[in-house]
């Protein structure tokens, strides 16, 4: 047991702090899982008993329910197999110099009052204590109001930036595209190219474990330890998406954080770079869909050889080397080299979706891919996070 005087506390008496070996009853912030210490054997065993198959995944509601149940089972298995650790404390806001001076003055007057017991000193100490408390509360409220205002401003900015194109510049073309798509989506889709456990496991193997958590709150590493029964359920879900052309609503929700661009003023929303975190399982399905899109692109020769973006074994460095080689050759032949550089901002979020879908049938894409892409692009939502507020 240790005894310590607490002269700095606000009280008419000299308080003494008694430190014993008893455990504190104060409530600390809830512990967070430490996935580095997960027992994956226990995880697999626990998940194995939670997996249930639904033979009737033939509509949107059933698919969404199955996706939510699968994510819930993974989270419960993680909770049963993962150690917890204390979260890092939020950094304390620095106290302004004016309030610090007031605190020092109050503490000095308190020490004098404890020696002299003068009522005037005690009155001044109480006044300073109330003033310090009021100013600290005002500062906390101002900080929180500023955070909320910044968060709302960022959310409004994101909503404005990512609003899809709806105002047609050529009404005749818009109407033609709308009529053609309505007719196209009324026709039955083609038989899909279904996935299988080997393809899903290969997609899981290629996932990067260092990626941040998505809205479902479990890391990519989790999918690498799925038992065969869980992989089979994922195959069933993915095939149901291909058959029904319904990209799960759960997978369409993103958590967006805003990162301040280096050297920019933190006041305007344009100084922040939005980064979206998506559902882990939804990103896994995207890999299987992308494989089918790239297969069709390759089979039909839809990409020019000069196109390097989003193509395997081709990079920006190779394209840059090609450009330098062309300039050097023309320079040797005393010829000029012209180049046009285009930067399309927010291409994914502002694309004219109907126009994109209209072009896919013209390129002879299988209808089941067009239907699935239509569901993938429509009805997306997001939540904006800034610091600790959402």
């Amino acid at each position: 047991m240790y005894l310590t005087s607490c002269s700095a506390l606000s009280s008419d008496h000299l308080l003494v702090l008694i430190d014993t070996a008893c455990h504190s009853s104060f409530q600390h912030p809830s512990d967070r899982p430490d996935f580095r210490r997960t027992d994956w054997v226990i995880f697999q065993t626990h998940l194995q008993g939670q997996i249930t198959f639904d033979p009737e995944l033939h509509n949107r509601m059933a698919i969404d329910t199955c996706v939510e149940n699968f994510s819930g089972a993974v989270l419960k298995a993680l909770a049963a197999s993962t150690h917890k650790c204390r979260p890092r404390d939020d950094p304390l806001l620095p106290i302004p110099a004016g309030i610090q001076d007031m605190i020092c003055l109050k503490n000095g007057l308190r020490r004098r009052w404890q020696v002299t017991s003068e009522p005037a000193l005690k009155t001044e100490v109480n006044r300073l204590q109330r003033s310090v408390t009021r100013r600290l509360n005002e500062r906390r409220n101002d900080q929180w109001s500023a955070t909320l205002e910044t968060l709302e401003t960022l959310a409004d900015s994101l909503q404005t930036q990512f609003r899809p194109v709806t105002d047609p510049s050529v009404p005749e073309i818009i109407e033609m595209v709308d009529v053609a798509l309505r007719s196209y989506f009324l026709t039955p889709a083609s038989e899909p190219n279904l996935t299988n456990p080997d393809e899903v496991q290969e997609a899981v193997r290629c996932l990067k474990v260092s990626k941040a958590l998505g809205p479902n709150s479990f890391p990519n590493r989790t999918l690498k330890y799925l038992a065969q029964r869980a992989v089979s359920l994922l195959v069933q879900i993915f095939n149901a998406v291909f058959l029904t052309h319904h990209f799960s609503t759960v997978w369409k929700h993103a958590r967006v954080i805003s990162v301040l661009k280096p050297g920019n003023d933190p006041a305007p929303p344009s100084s922040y770079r939005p980064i979206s975190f998506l559902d882990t399982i939804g990103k896994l399905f995207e890999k299987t869909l992308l494989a089918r899109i790239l297969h069709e692109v390759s089979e039909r020769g839809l990409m020019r050889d000069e196109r390097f973006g989003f193509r395997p074994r081709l990079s920006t460095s190779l394209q840059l080397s090609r450009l330098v080689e062309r300039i050097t050759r023309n320079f040797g032949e005393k010829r000029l080299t012209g180049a046009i550089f285009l930067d399309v901002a927010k291409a994914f979020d502002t694309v004219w979706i109907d126009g994109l879908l209209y072009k896919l049938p013209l390129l002879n894409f299988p209808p089941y891919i067009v239907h699935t892409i239509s569901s993938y692009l429509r009805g997306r939502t997001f939540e904006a996070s800034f610091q600790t507020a959402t």
Side-chain angles (χ1 to χ4, degrees), residues 99-110:
I99 300 180
Q100 290 184 11
D101 294 341
M102 192 178 296
I103 293 175
C104 291
L105 177 61
K106 180 204 67 169
N107 291 340
L109 292 177
R110 182 183 299 282

Side-chain angles (χ1 to χ4, degrees), residues 134-373:
R134 184 185 71 256
R135 293 185 61 177
L136 286 176
N137 288 336
E138 290 175 352
R139 187 168 189 278
R140 293 191 191 98
N141 292 336
D142 291 342
Q143 289 287 338
W144 179 241
S145 298
T147 300
L148 288 180
E149 183 177 354
T150 303
L151 184 62
E152 292 175 357
T153 303
L154 288 172
D156 293 340
S157 175
L158 291 173
Q159 188 174 11
T160 301
Q161 294 179 52
F162 300 151
R163 181 175 291 116
V165 176
T166 55
D167 185 20
S169 56
V170 185
E172 295 79 9
I173 294 180
I174 300 296
E175 184 179 359
M176 179 195 68
V177 169
D178 185 55
V179 172
L181 284 182
R182 283 203 303 266
S183 175
Y184 180 82
F185 285 122
L186 288 176
T187 60
S190 59
E191 191 68 22
N193 177 16
L194 300 179
T195 187
N196 55 69
D198 291 338
E199 182 184 14
V200 172
Q201 287 177 328
E202 177 63 20
V204 170
R205 188 186 66 81
C206 295
L207 288 176
K208 296 180 180 179
V209 298
S210 59
K211 294 294 185 179
L213 303 182
N216 54 11
S217 299
F218 59 80
N220 286 350
R221 184 188 301 274
T222 304
L223 300 181
K224 294 182 179 291
Y225 292 92
L226 293 180
Q228 186 60 43
R229 183 176 175 84
V231 173
S232 298
L233 179 56
L234 281 182
V235 172
Q236 183 190 20
I237 294 174
F238 291 176
N239 285 337
V241 174
F242 283 129
L243 289 167
T244 62
H245 322 122
H246 171 62
F247 189 81
S248 177
T249 307
V250 179
W251 299 342
K252 296 181 183 181
H253 186 73
R255 180 168 59 90
V256 179
I257 66 171
S258 298
V259 179
L260 182 64
K261 299 176 183 177
N264 285 34
D265 179 12
S270 58
S271 298
Y272 294 86
R273 178 179 291 108
I275 300 178
S276 297
F277 295 116
L278 298 170
D279 186 279
T280 305
I281 303 174
K283 290 191 294 185
L284 186 63
F285 173 80
E286 289 179 16
K287 288 182 174 293
T288 63
L289 178 60
L290 177 61
R292 285 149 179 76
I293 295 175
L294 293 180
H295 173 75
E296 299 297 332
V297 169
S298 176
E299 286 290 314
R300 292 168 171 76
L302 299 178
M303 274 195 187
R304 297 172 58 90
D305 294 337
E306 293 81 6
R307 171 67 182 271
F308 280 29
F310 303 102
R311 300 183 69 178
R313 297 182 295 278
L314 297 176
S315 65
T316 305
S317 300
L318 292 176
Q319 186 72 292
L320 184 60
S321 299
R322 174 177 169 271
L323 178 61
V324 171
E325 186 275 333
R326 176 68 64 86
I327 295 174
T328 303
R329 186 180 63 192
N330 289 347
F331 184 78
E333 298 174 358
K334 296 183 179 181
R335 300 170 60 186
L336 298 177
T337 302
I340 298 176
F341 299 92
L342 299 177
D343 182 12
V344 182
K346 310 293 187 298
F348 177 85
D349 300 281
T350 59
V351 67
W352 179 29
I353 294 178
D354 287 346
L356 174 64
L357 296 174
Y358 175 77
K359 291 181 179 180
L360 293 179
L362 300 181
L363 297 173
N364 294 321
F365 268 79
Y368 85 92
I369 291 183
V370 180
H371 283 70
T372 305
I373 292 177

Side-chain angles (χ1 to χ4, degrees), residues 25-191:
S25 61
F26 291 104
Q27 298 295 323
H28 297 287
S30 58
D31 296 341
R32 59 180 178 84
D34 184 1
F35 296 114
R36 296 170 299 178
R37 303 172 59 193
T38 300
D39 189 324
W40 296 110
V41 175
I42 296 178
F43 168 78
Q44 290 176 334
T45 303
H46 196 281
L47 182 61
Q48 193 80 357
Q50 302 250 351
I51 295 298
T52 57
F53 289 87
D54 185 355
E56 300 296 332
L57 292 181
H58 302 318
N59 57 70
R60 299 180 178 183
M61 183 177 297
I63 292 176
D64 287 345
T65 301
C66 188
V67 168
E68 292 176 359
N69 291 341
F70 182 85
S71 297
V74 172
L75 289 175
K76 289 180 181 178
L78 280 175
S81 58
T82 303
H83 295 276
K84 302 291 194 305
C85 65
R86 288 287 304 278
R88 295 179 181 177
D89 295 332
D90 292 335
L92 297 178
L93 294 174
I95 299 177
I99 300 180
Q100 290 184 11
D101 294 341
M102 192 178 296
I103 293 175
C104 291
L105 177 61
K106 180 204 67 169
N107 291 340
L109 292 177
R110 182 183 299 282
R111 286 190 291 269
R112 286 178 54 190
W113 170 78
Q114 290 172 345
V115 174
T116 64
S117 299
E118 293 183 16
L121 289 177
K122 177 58 177 174
T123 301
E124 182 64 13
V125 168
N126 291 340
R127 187 190 68 79
L128 288 174
Q129 178 64 45
R130 290 191 297 270
S131 180
V132 168
T133 301
R134 184 185 71 256
R135 293 185 61 177
L136 286 176
N137 288 336
E138 290 175 352
R139 187 168 189 278
R140 293 191 191 98
N141 292 336
D142 291 342
Q143 289 287 338
W144 179 241
S145 298
T147 300
L148 288 180
E149 183 177 354
T150 303
L151 184 62
E152 292 175 357
T153 303
L154 288 172
D156 293 340
S157 175
L158 291 173
Q159 188 174 11
T160 301
Q161 294 179 52
F162 300 151
R163 181 175 291 116
V165 176
T166 55
D167 185 20
S169 56
V170 185
E172 295 79 9
I173 294 180
I174 300 296
E175 184 179 359
M176 179 195 68
V177 169
D178 185 55
V179 172
L181 284 182
R182 283 203 303 266
S183 175
Y184 180 82
F185 285 122
L186 288 176
T187 60
S190 59
E191 191 68 22

